[in-house]
Amino acid sequence: MKHSELFTKTRKEDPSDEVSRNARLLIRAGFVHKEMAGVYSFLPLGMRVLQKIEAIVREEMNAIGGREVRMATLHSSEPWKQTGAWDKVDVVFKIRSRTKKEYTVGQSEEEIVTPIAKKYITSYKDLPLAIYQIGQKYRDELRAKSGIMRGREFTMKDMYSFHETQEDFDRFYAVAKEAYLRVYTRCGLIAKATEASGGSFTEKLSYEFMVLTTAGEDDILYCTNCSYCANIEVSSQKEGEGCTRCKSGRLLSAKASEVGNIFDLGKKYTKDFSLTFKDKSGEEVYPVMGCFGIGITRLMGVIVECFSDEKGIVWPESVAPFRVHLLSLGMDKEANEWYEKLQSAGIETLFDDREVSAGEKFGDSDLLGMPWRVVVSKRSLEKGGAEVKRRTESESEIAAFKDLNNLLRNV
Ligand code: ATP
Ligand code: MG
């Protein structure tokens, strides 16, 4: 894509009404536009990042048997009253129509998915079933100071699974946990799975997936030696104590952000909606249900918090809007040839073809944060190619197109 075709522009000053690093950088770089506290629109560059993250999540969910759907966002209040969430869950938005009917907008979708599943699950042969979607969620959050990490409107992947037995749920739970860890690794992050208490209606254990960042709103304890991690809120252990799991590490405390959460919902919702199936002995029983969430927009915010420096964002290759940022310094014809070649090699490239100073192009390139910067200038051409630099490094090298292509192929 040519920069001149992007309608967004970068800005030099931080927005005055944002305290979080992710929102400040994403707004300055033109990835998102703030509508109001906790509500953001995603602009072309931001959309590309979201689509990359969503593609990773989609691949991993499909690989464990998830069936993608899109559930309605506008819900009648009835199923919410049926489960008790209408009165008990404080973040539920309540809408009254002109005909005085009550509605809500999805904040989680057990109330929608269970009646759908009820239509199709009749026998043990229909199980297990895992249904997921990637879509907008709405929550009446009190605090919205963490930029896109805590929205009143945000994007979530939510999956719901139905099982014949507790054993089958446990099997799937372990499979999903591994898939979750792969999602975060593929996004360039290291996530720890905590052991924490369940959600509003269950006493069962759940896993929270935590990424260490000072921008996080959770306090966790983690082991210096093994993968043990717990939310301080629920842990009986304290910082400095020895790890009870591996017996050799020590527990440290840190701020972290919850980028995903998986729950054993038991039979709460299947009972609320009288969803039963005929088991092998012909008896009508309730399936065990699980819920698996990933905060897509929060994940993007956490990536910015973890991968940025004083000059701007430093996108990991897997989620960068473009891999290459090609800058022309007064050599438009030659730079355009590089652009054509990069395009035909299938390398996603943002081409800064604007008529602005070299300083502005370099500054914007650091702010936007593509993994590779490729500069075509009179000097670079005299040396036999373009000046290639990774966003994470300070040294550049001269490369002919063939060398650049090889370099990018080997990453
Ligand atoms: P938190 O404790 O941060 O409020 P939660 O326990 O309410 O999270 P879930 O209901 O389990 O979150 O939602 C699944 C995932 O959606 C969370 O792990 C998180 O990544 C993301 N998420 C939750 N609330 C928000 C929000 N307000 N803005 C952005 N992402 C969110
Ligand atoms: Mg919450």
Side-chain angles (χ1 to χ4, degrees):
M1 183 176 200
K2 291 187 174 167
H3 200 128
S4 57
E5 291 163 4
L6 259 186
F7 69 86
T8 55
K9 295 189 171 84
T10 58
R11 44 195 263 190
K12 294 207 164 45
E13 302 301 324
D14 274 346
S16 57
D17 57 344
E18 290 284 3
V19 286
S20 74
R21 184 176 183 80
N22 71 82
R24 289 198 323 252
L25 283 172
L26 289 168
I27 290 171
R28 270 183 56 201
F31 283 65
V32 304
H33 176 263
K34 184 178 191 171
E35 301 301 335
M36 57 178 146
V39 182
Y40 298 86
S41 291
F42 285 72
L43 306 176
L45 292 171
M47 267 303 283
R48 290 183 72 99
V49 177
L50 281 186
Q51 284 165 345
K52 295 270 167 86
I53 298 174
E54 288 174 10
I56 291 173
V57 171
R58 189 170 276 123
E59 251 179 63
E60 294 295 344
M61 293 306 108
N62 290 346
I64 61 169
R67 299 335 134 70
E68 188 171 6
V69 298
R70 179 172 299 169
M71 289 183 250
T73 306
L74 184 64
H75 307 162
S76 141
S77 62
E78 277 149 38
W80 293 84
K81 289 182 176 157
Q82 210 166 324
T83 62
W86 185 261
D87 295 315
K88 271 199 200 155
V89 178
D90 50 7
V91 295
V92 170
F93 275 113
K94 294 173 180 168
I95 303 167
R96 226 169 125 84
S97 78
R98 56 183 161 165
T99 56
K100 306 210 171 24
K101 278 193 75 175
E102 286 173 319
Y103 297 90
T104 187
V105 274
Q107 60 87 29
S108 182
E109 315 238 347
E110 287 83 351
E111 280 77 1
I112 306 306
V113 78
T114 318
I116 293 177
K118 184 179 163 159
K119 285 254 185 265
Y120 300 101
I121 296 174
T122 53
S123 142
Y124 68 91
K125 290 181 191 154
D126 299 321
L127 299 174
L129 174 64
I131 303 175
Y132 78 96
Q133 64 174 356
I134 296 176
Q136 298 302 82
K137 293 282 176 283
Y138 301 85
R139 293 188 181 181
D140 191 0
E141 302 276 7
L142 289 181
R143 297 162 299 154
K145 289 206 163 69
S146 300
I148 65 166
M149 290 168 63
R150 181 168 299 282
R152 297 199 168 104
E153 171 172 350
F154 59 98
T155 311
M156 195 205 284
K157 185 284 298 177
D158 45 332
M159 179 163 74
Y160 307 87
S161 69
F162 300 84
H163 305 269
E164 206 179 334
T165 57
Q166 186 65 40
E167 291 68 49
D168 191 60
F169 170 81
D170 292 344
R171 172 199 61 78
F172 188 70
Y173 196 54
V175 167
K177 181 186 171 194
E178 292 310 312
Y180 266 52
L181 291 172
R182 279 197 298 277
V183 165
Y184 304 121
T185 306
R186 289 181 63 183
C187 290
L189 297 167
I190 299 168
K192 295 174 183 292
T194 69
E195 275 154 31
S197 73
S200 14
F201 294 112
T202 73
E203 290 307 314
K204 302 197 179 217
L205 275 184
S206 73
Y207 286 119
E208 291 172 347
F209 294 85
M210 294 288 189
V211 173
L212 299 194
T213 162
T214 49
E217 294 179 9
D218 288 87
D219 293 291
I220 59 158
L221 283 179
Y222 67 98
C223 175
T224 51
N225 179 52
C226 72
S227 62
Y228 179 77
C229 177
N231 200 316
I232 284 185
E233 248 178 48
V234 296
S235 174
S236 52
Q237 291 203 275
K238 290 200 177 56
E239 171 154 43
E241 289 180 2
C243 175
T244 47
R245 182 185 293 168
C246 69
K247 311 264 191 278
S248 61
R250 227 164 39 83
L251 297 181
L252 294 183
S253 71
K255 283 271 176 214
S257 178
E258 183 197 304
V259 289
N261 199 345
I262 66 182
F263 289 98
D264 178 350
L265 296 174
K267 297 179 176 174
K268 153 78 186 155
Y269 294 95
T270 50
K271 283 188 176 167
D272 281 346
F273 292 103
S274 307
L275 159 54
T276 59
F277 67 97
K278 257 194 187 50
D279 71 7
K280 286 182 186 123
S281 62
E283 205 182 319
E284 288 287 339
V285 290
Y286 297 104
V288 175
M289 200 174 151
C291 161
F292 308 77
I294 291 185
I296 304 280
T297 38
R298 180 175 292 179
L299 202 48
M300 176 169 163
V302 168
I303 291 170
V304 175
E305 295 286 341
C306 293
F307 302 107
S308 50
D309 59 20
E310 69 289 347
K311 293 178 181 160
I313 309 171
V314 187
W315 294 108
E317 294 257 350
S318 58
V319 299
F322 295 92
R323 287 187 80 196
V324 167
H325 201 167
L326 175 68
L327 316 191
S328 164
L329 300 192
M331 289 287 143
D332 289 358
K333 187 174 144 289
E334 292 80 355
N336 206 45
E337 283 166 17
W338 276 72
Y339 180 55
E340 300 287 327
K341 284 196 231 170
L342 283 160
Q343 294 281 89
S344 26
I347 298 164
E348 292 173 311
T349 302
L350 179 64
F351 176 25
D352 194 343
D353 58 338
R354 296 173 302 169
E355 285 184 19
V356 297
S357 72
E360 200 168 334
K361 289 191 178 183
F362 285 129
D364 278 354
S365 180
D366 283 336
L367 177 62
L368 298 183
M370 304 324 153
W372 298 84
R373 190 186 75 190
V374 175
V375 180
V376 177
S377 66
K378 187 158 182 285
R379 210 176 55 163
S380 79
L381 291 169
E382 280 166 6
K383 289 188 183 163
E387 195 183 289
V388 176
K389 187 183 92 64
R390 294 184 81 148
R391 177 65 178 82
T392 47
E393 285 166 11
S394 49
E395 297 299 309
S396 62
E397 58 178 286
I398 296 290
F401 179 77
K402 182 167 62 63
D403 304 324
L404 173 64
N405 200 10
N406 284 338
L407 207 60
L408 290 169
R409 258 174 224 300
N410 292 330
V411 174

